[in-house]
Amino acid sequence: MKEIKQIIAAYDTAISQQKNVVLATVVHIEGSAYRAPGARMLIREDGFFTGAISGGCLEGDVLRKALMVIADLRPALITYDTSDEPGNNGIGASLGCNGIIRILIEPVDPDNETNPIALLRSATKERTPSILVTFFNPDDKKNKQQGTRLLLKEDNFDLTSVDQPVESADIKQSFATRSSAFIRYNGQPGSVHAFYQYIAPNCSLVIAGAGNDVIPVVQIAEILGWDITLMDGRTVYNTAERFPGCQLITGNPEEIWNNIRTDAQTAIVLMSHNYAYDKAILKLALNSDASYIGILGPPNKRDRMFKELKEEGIELSAEQIERVHGPTGINIGAETSEEIALSIISEIKGYFAGAPSDTSLKNQSRSVHKRRTRISASIKTYGILILAAGSSKRLGVPKQQLVYQGNTLLGNAVKSAMEIDTGATVVVTTPSDADTLSQLKELNVEIVINGESSEGMSSSIRAGVRHLQNEYPSIQQILIMLCDQPYVDTAHLRQLIHQQQSSGAPITASLYAGRKGVPAIFHSSMFDELLSLTGDTGAKHLIEQSDEKVAIVPFPKGAIDIDTAAMYQELVSGKIQKEADHDR
């Protein structure tokens, strides 16, 4: 976010000086690269530039090509092969990145109210997530339609006026998984690619305390461009002279808390060195939206606070306890205030980036950067197959019709599936199940009748796969799910799709009770094997046979399915939920 703001400021300066500019954006990488997709560089006609699209090795060549874009006002997609392979003009040997980098250079028209800089400016105005959409075409590198065209907000986007191939389902998937995506849409000429860049709000750091040891924490956070707020009851410490550029709030916790704004990108760190003050802030922070709450001090300080809160009748949930990091920071052998500050900021940065907290880069065999760069097909190329033709012999009544949370198990499964808006959602049932057939008509879902259900689950899988192949030839992935796993929800199904898009694995399965199972996604390369299943063999059997081809998404609650009346009673009474939370 800091670099984006610097580019916006540089653009404003260039326009005030009546200088033409172009924007260079890393739109895709394969392999290793110094900067991730979304890195940008603003280039003026006089050669001055702001931002970076590499470690300094590509900027010179991009500058030369940018001047050509300024001259003919036409975007250009440039591809750099930094590998050590023959035929790449020796670039790889000098860079050592060993990857392919695609950079889109596009002119910025100041008269266009939706030019790329205007969209970036809009992304920084509010503390809400955005998706910036940039189109590029590897098959037509000077296609005029390439460029940054859309800025979308999660609850407010309209695609009716878009003249490019975008799908709302793909946008919702990026928002739901808080990740960028690269989607290939078939068009003429060639294939148009959409880079959906997920832009999270800037990190907001709220510190309880304004002592001397807070100063280096603030200084490092400022370098990163974070938004910083300080709370303290001492006016002599909490001053603009000591903390220029910070929002300063002075007073007792209860009096000033209403002035604190928190969201999912907020970290709160308690370091006032006043136990009562820190505890009062902790009590308030636990009920806020802040994702990270750090406590400076030893573990027994944290434990004492938890104990006293419990004595006051405040029962902390597992989710609340998970957000508390006490002691705050990572172990780097810190002793001085500056070293402790580095430890604290490092943990917060890693936490919001989803990085492992206890892994040295030296010991990592995989890539240092956790980047999703695989180009995927649209959500519309996925189909969902819900199996609901079982006889429920152990239960004695059709499990599809069991009521849970105001709906039937089947109704909940269909609702979770349809919220994703894939290419098709199909339920396989039997001709004799009148109640299920009646319910499905109200759910506006496609129904496949399996007249061979007595053979077992394999017949339902075959019937569903055949229907999707015949009616939806564009379907490339099938997500198979059951109706008796009550904790399967839209969020988990989205994570499965996200993992499949990221890995490209032939099978992406849920992991529970030490085994891989459904819900699971099968790529088209596995369709013939699904169609070859016989008897009472389900998809889990194929998953076990194909172990090396399987990517996983942990889902402990997937082990819970409703096969007996006793289990159903435990489900509706909440006993299963409590046990699951305790195990977590």
Side-chain angles (χ1 to χ4, degrees):
M1 189 66 76
K2 180 180 180 180
E3 186 174 68
I4 291 176
K5 291 181 178 179
Q6 290 173 333
I7 287 174
I8 293 170
Y11 171 78
D12 290 339
T13 299
I15 296 305
S16 68
Q17 297 174 358
Q18 297 184 326
K19 296 186 182 297
N20 294 317
V21 297
V22 297
L23 184 67
T25 304
V26 179
V27 292
H28 190 251
I29 62 173
E30 296 177 33
S32 177
Y34 185 78
R35 296 299 306 272
R40 293 178 176 83
M41 183 170 72
L42 187 79
I43 305 166
R44 297 193 328 198
E45 60 183 337
D46 58 4
F48 183 86
F49 63 86
T50 302
I53 40 82
S54 75
C57 41
L58 300 178
E59 277 72 2
D61 191 67
V62 169
L63 174 58
R64 289 188 290 272
K65 292 180 170 61
L67 297 178
M68 297 171 60
V69 171
I70 290 175
D72 61 17
L73 297 177
R74 187 185 184 98
L77 181 68
I78 313 299
T79 300
Y80 294 96
D81 187 348
T82 66
S83 66
D84 236 344
E85 298 298 323
N88 65 2
N89 299 319
I91 292 179
S94 61
L95 301 184
C97 289
N98 198 29
I100 296 174
I101 306 166
R102 293 186 176 91
I103 298 173
L104 180 66
I105 306 174
E106 55 184 315
V108 182
D109 180 3
D111 294 328
N112 182 354
E113 295 181 353
T114 59
N115 69 47
I117 303 301
L119 297 179
L120 288 171
R121 196 190 304 274
S122 296
T124 63
K125 279 186 176 180
E126 301 175 352
R127 288 195 58 79
T128 55
S130 304
I131 288 180
L132 190 65
V133 187
T134 301
F135 299 96
F136 62 101
N137 193 327
D139 301 319
D140 185 4
K141 297 181 180 181
K142 291 190 176 183
N143 190 305
K144 287 184 177 181
Q145 298 305 311
Q146 297 182 120
T148 305
R149 296 284 185 267
L150 295 169
L151 181 74
L152 308 169
K153 296 294 184 178
E154 188 167 12
D155 299 321
N156 182 26
F157 62 85
D158 181 9
L159 303 179
T160 56
S161 62
V162 180
D163 59 355
Q164 294 279 24
V166 294
E167 285 285 356
S168 61
D170 295 320
I171 296 165
K172 291 176 181 177
Q173 176 72 6
S174 282
F175 274 123
T177 57
R178 299 182 182 182
S179 64
S180 298
F182 305 88
I183 304 298
R184 178 183 59 254
Y185 296 106
N186 293 328
Q188 296 296 330
S191 296
V192 175
H193 295 63
F195 170 32
Y196 295 115
Q197 183 187 1
Y198 179 82
I199 301 178
N202 208 22
C203 180
S204 174
L205 177 62
V206 178
I207 302 176
N212 290 342
D213 59 343
V214 173
I215 293 175
V217 178
V218 169
Q219 289 172 335
I220 299 174
E222 285 177 336
I223 292 173
L224 297 174
W226 293 0
D227 300 328
I228 308 166
T229 300
L230 300 185
M231 300 180 291
D232 202 293
R234 303 165 293 180
T235 56
V236 68
Y237 283 94
N238 207 20
T239 66
E241 290 77 18
R242 285 165 56 81
F243 300 103
C246 298
Q247 180 186 12
L248 307 177
I249 304 175
T250 305
N252 296 325
E254 293 78 6
E255 296 172 347
I256 64 176
W257 185 254
N258 287 336
N259 296 317
I260 303 299
R261 297 290 179 262
T262 62
D263 54 37
Q265 286 293 117
T266 299
I268 300 175
V269 181
L270 313 179
M271 50 189 308
S272 72
H273 299 284
N274 180 321
Y275 178 83
Y277 196 93
D278 282 352
K279 177 187 167 186
I281 295 294
L282 174 63
K283 187 187 301 187
L284 296 165
L286 286 167
N287 292 314
S288 74
D289 296 327
S291 298
Y292 177 103
I293 304 171
I295 303 176
L296 183 67
N300 58 14
K301 178 181 178 180
R302 172 205 63 206
D303 296 340
R304 178 186 170 190
M305 287 182 173
F306 284 174
K307 180 175 180 291
E308 292 178 1
L309 290 177
K310 186 174 183 179
E311 291 171 350
E312 295 174 20
I314 301 174
E315 289 287 344
L316 301 184
S317 67
E319 183 274 335
Q320 287 175 314
I321 293 173
E322 184 70 21
R323 286 190 288 143
V324 176
H325 297 250
T328 182
I330 60 176
N331 185 5
I332 59 172
E335 294 289 346
T336 67
S337 295
E338 291 78 12
E339 292 167 349
I340 293 171
L342 178 62
S343 167
I344 294 170
I345 295 296
S346 296
E347 183 180 53
I348 295 172
K349 175 64 182 74
Y351 178 82
F352 283 118
S357 59
D358 57 353
T359 304
S360 170
L361 296 181
K362 175 182 177 181
N363 298 324
Q364 289 194 29
S365 57
R366 58 181 176 82
S367 174
V368 171
H369 300 290
K370 185 181 179 181
R371 296 170 176 166
R372 175 193 168 186
T373 60
R374 186 175 179 274
I375 296 175
S376 307
S378 168
I379 295 293
K380 292 299 185 179
T381 66
Y382 288 73
I384 298 182
L385 180 59
I386 304 174
L387 305 181
S391 58
S392 308
K393 293 179 181 178
R394 293 176 60 192
L395 188 65
V397 295
K399 64 178 67 176
Q400 300 93 313
Q401 299 305 315
L402 293 177
V403 175
Y404 177 59
Q405 292 186 339
N407 203 340
T408 64
L409 289 181
L410 177 58
N412 286 329
V414 171
K415 181 175 182 291
S416 296
M418 294 193 71
E419 284 181 0
I420 299 176
D421 193 21
T422 59
T425 301
V426 172
V427 178
V428 179
T429 187
T430 64
S432 60
D433 192 348
D435 290 336
T436 296
L437 289 172
S438 175
Q439 181 188 7
L440 289 175
K441 290 180 181 178
E442 296 179 0
L443 293 175
N444 192 30
V445 68
E446 292 193 47
I447 304 170
V448 171
I449 301 298
N450 178 17
E452 303 175 347
S453 60
S454 59
E455 178 188 344
M457 190 176 293
S458 66
S459 62
S460 291
I461 293 175
R462 295 197 307 268
V465 172
R466 281 197 217 96
H467 176 84
L468 286 169
Q469 283 185 313
N470 292 336
E471 301 298 324
Y472 300 93
S474 63
I475 293 292
Q476 299 175 24
Q477 293 85 204
I478 296 177
L479 193 161
I480 296 179
M481 57 185 290
L482 309 175
C483 66
D484 64 349
Q485 291 176 292
Y487 295 112
V488 172
D489 56 12
T490 301
H492 179 63
L493 300 182
R494 286 196 183 282
Q495 285 301 319
L496 285 168
I497 293 173
H498 178 65
Q499 178 67 286
Q500 195 280 328
Q501 289 182 324
S502 301
S503 67
I507 302 175
T508 303
S510 305
L511 177 66
Y512 44 83
R515 300 181 66 182
K516 302 167 187 173
V518 294
I521 298 174
F522 297 83
H523 183 262
S524 57
S525 60
M526 304 298 297
F527 288 0
D528 286 345
E529 294 189 52
L530 287 171
L531 291 171
S532 68
L533 294 174
T534 58
D536 201 25
T537 300
K540 185 177 290 187
H541 177 71
L542 179 56
I543 294 170
E544 291 173 349
Q545 281 188 331
S546 312
D547 187 63
E548 294 183 357
K549 301 178 181 179
V550 182
I552 61 168
V553 174
F555 184 51
K557 291 184 179 180
I560 300 170
D561 56 11
I562 308 304
D563 285 334
T564 66
M567 290 194 69
Y568 175 60
Q569 291 303 315
E570 289 184 357
L571 174 70
V572 296
S573 69
K575 181 180 179 181
I576 290 179
Q577 174 72 57
K578 293 176 182 177
E579 291 177 350
D581 289 341
H582 179 269
D583 292 340
R584 184 182 66 175

